[in-house]
Amino acid sequence: MPTLSPQPQTTQRLRLHVHGVVQGVGFRPFVYNLAVSLGLTGFVGNDSAGVYLEIEGAPAQVQAFQDHLQSDPPPLSHIEELSVTALEPVGAVSFEIVHSAALPGASTLISPDVAVCADCLREMRNPADRRFGYPFINCTNCGPRFTIIRDLPYDRPQTTMAGFTMCPACRREYDDPADRRFHAQPNACPVCGPQLHFLAGIAATPLIGPAALNAALHALGVGKIVAVKGLGGYHLACDARNESAVALLRERKRRGGKPFALMARDLAVVRATALLDPAEERLISGPERPIVLLERLPAADVAPSVAPGNGHLGIMLPYTPLHHLLFAEHTPSLLVLTSANDAGEPIVYSDGDAFTQLASLADAWLLHDRPIHLPADDSVIRVFEGQELPVRRSRGYAPFPVRLPFAIPPVLAVGGELKSTFCIANGRYAYMSQHIGDMANLETLEAMERAVTHFATIFRTTPELLACDTHPGYLSAQWAARHAAGRPLVAVQHHHAHIAALMAEHGLPVDARVIGLSFDGTGYGDDGAIWGGELLLAGYISAERLGHLAYVPLPGGDSSVKRPYRIALAHLHAAGIPWDSDLPPVIACAPVERKVLARQLESGFTCVPTSSMGRLFDAVAALLGVRQVVSYEAQAAIEFEALHRYDNAAPYPFELRAGAPLRVDYAPLLHALVADMRADIPLGVIASRFHSSIAAIAVALAAHARERSGLNCVALSGGVFQNIVLLRLVATGLRAAGFEVLVHRKVPPNDGGLALGQAMIAAVRHQQRG
């Protein structure tokens, strides 16, 4: 009897579950259209863990579906994981989008807010389109996401658009698989969606719709300061070329000398204002639309009060439809657009707070009736070696997670004090929060607490342990202690956390060790001193301090930070350099104060020892006469960086003092620098030599660590490495010496990245003990 050949399978049925950024990015419409085009049947839906679907059809078409799913997904999506299960065919006759399902304990990734797309802009500018001039136009490829989501799955009832019922025309688009707005949750139009409101004063009669926009344009054109409700909060806006308006805003906001962010009408305006290389152009034009720090053109037409004494400007392009409408013809093409808050407080995002808290800051209000559920400040990015170097990671990036190199238990890390962010991590994902602010007041602490609750809800995570900084005075650490509720609380040394964050973002395994150079302004040391110029031999579980800058007494501790002349005098005293009357910090310090300061330094009274690299930069900036008093963090160092002229300048001398740990004696550096000043060497040369000196110190420290440990990978972290000049010189010097160099690309080198390192260290220690 002949053997029968097996018949080829004519129908195949698969169940797929897609994890990643797959909600709010047009993934279900994409799946629907792909399945229908291939003649497949089944269904697709959202659940709390991502997107689930079943497909049934001929094996070739099923395979083609899987290939296209992974090779050509929607542009805003990001597939992290795809699971596939074979099922018995059931003879389905159509393909449908089904209702979303909530899975207990399951979570998915959430898309950040996305800049308005070119298609929506074309419609908004077309007089024949029904959304002509509509400031809330969006589609599946753009618009609000993170800031409007209340819970998952991502469906309209779970967002702040729940109160807006779609009109028949919008509903037809929403239900049409061939439409760009198919299942676009914030879909709206002038008939059924959010509306603009303008108030010329708190008690004024509001103008609505196009009249509101026209009134705002007029106010900006005549030099008024307008509070504008945006995607993640309110901004204060004014004409960036009107010195009177900018100076008034600076005075009202008590901004000191801190630069204002700018928004430019288009790339042509950016190019007329600042230098823009191809990498910076891609970044400033991308869907995230961050503020990009750019080198100012000498002839830039910008009011002097925008960024006094600063060689860089923070510029962004419009990212909402409303922003584009603010740049109408014959209106200012460059606006100051700064976060609407009082000095040191979180960004204002509720309408009620906008009227009460901004009454002394704004002349008028341009707002809308779509609520913001969670605020998000603008992100700030620099470009280093053609890639991103985050300074502030917030709108456009949060809450997209850092994928971890290994799984960790659920942990909440609360960060530090300055540039505060927190991190909720679970499994292979670390969800970094948006920028919260400086944790120096109750308002910021409450903002963090609200955001922690929201993150725990949307990511379905109940932390099993908490992590904080070792500094006993940080409000974040005190909050963690109060909320531990019997769970382990792991205090993590500040500079170790910096290095661990960089290790995590580069995907280093659990047993990895690196040479860590952690340079910043302040961090609580294990010996009670203020650290900040640290050489560490670090892994996730522990860090050994191999070296540091020599200690200098800091009179009054952190209270001296706003008066660099005091820091300079302390460094001169430690180096044995007399306080001669020709030195700028001596001139800046009143004789009576100078006598008291001298007694403090001699006796050590109220002096805290510091090894801070940030304070050394402050001291030299004051010594050169750049800045004796500062009004914002790192002002002296930022202005000093702008003096650099030559990458190949000869370094000043320094000495490495043997010991455990090794000490960097930079007294010879200061003696030589003062000699150059007295020889009338140009400041640009002295600044260049100083930067070269710090780079030489970094290479020498790394070489010492390599000799001691045999390691060859150097991790550069801490806020000082926001200085692009120094980062470039250090990285170049280390590579020339044969080192592998790690720099930040996903989280900031400053304290905005601290929580990631805290989470990793706490989790690994917890696992080791368990």
Side-chain angles (χ1 to χ4, degrees), residues 24 101 140 152 220 254 277 353 355 399 401 408 483 487 541 603 622 713 720 731 761:
T140 55
L152 296 177
L220 291 169
R254 295 178 291 163
D277 68 24
D353 287 345
F355 291 120
I408 64 173
H483 290 80
R487 294 170 292 182
I541 196 166
S603 66
C713 181
V720 169
I761 292 167

Side-chain angles (χ1 to χ4, degrees), residues 467-668:
C468 66
D469 196 274
T470 55
H471 197 304
Y474 281 1
L475 289 180
S476 57
Q478 295 168 9
W479 182 91
R482 289 196 304 272
H483 290 80
R487 294 170 292 182
L489 173 61
V490 181
V492 177
Q493 201 281 320
H494 192 93
H495 301 94
H496 184 196
H498 273 309
I499 301 303
L502 185 53
M503 293 173 64
E505 75 162 80
H506 281 272
L508 298 193
V510 66
D511 58 350
R513 295 164 75 230
V514 298
I515 298 167
L517 290 174
S518 188
F519 293 172
D520 64 4
T522 184
Y524 191 72
D526 291 340
D527 57 359
I530 298 173
W531 292 6
E534 308 307 309
L535 170 67
L536 303 178
L537 189 61
Y540 290 113
I541 196 166
S542 64
E544 179 185 359
R545 192 188 195 199
L546 294 185
H548 60 86
L549 295 185
Y551 281 139
V552 169
L554 190 63
D558 284 345
S559 64
S560 288
V561 170
K562 292 188 176 181
R563 291 180 285 175
Y565 68 84
R566 291 173 62 89
I567 299 172
L569 293 177
H571 280 73
L572 291 173
H573 175 269
I577 299 174
W579 292 356
D580 294 333
S581 60
D582 63 328
L583 298 176
V586 178
I587 298 170
C589 189
V592 173
E593 181 185 6
R594 204 158 57 229
K595 288 181 181 178
V596 173
L597 186 61
R599 286 198 294 270
Q600 280 184 276
L601 292 170
E602 290 293 342
S603 66
F605 180 68
T606 71
C607 289
V608 180
T610 182
S611 59
S612 167
M613 183 66 77
R615 299 293 80 83
L616 176 57
F617 268 83
D618 288 344
V620 173
L623 193 54
L624 294 180
V626 174
R627 175 67 55 180
Q628 304 301 334
V629 177
V630 299
S631 57
Y632 65 92
E633 187 208 5
Q635 182 179 10
I638 289 169
E639 295 177 5
F640 177 58
E641 177 189 350
L643 294 177
H644 174 85
R645 294 293 180 270
Y646 316 104
D647 275 8
N648 58 352
Y652 289 117
F654 61 89
E655 295 182 15
L656 300 182
R657 302 289 186 185
L662 186 80
R663 290 180 299 109
V664 179
D665 180 359
Y666 50 86

Side-chain angles (χ1 to χ4, degrees), residues 29 45 129 200 302 319 348 358 384 420 481 508 526 563 590 634 722 724:
D129 193 278
V302 177
Y319 55 86
V348 170
L358 305 181
F384 174 66
S420 178
L508 298 193
D526 291 340
R563 291 180 285 175
Q722 293 172 144
I724 291 292

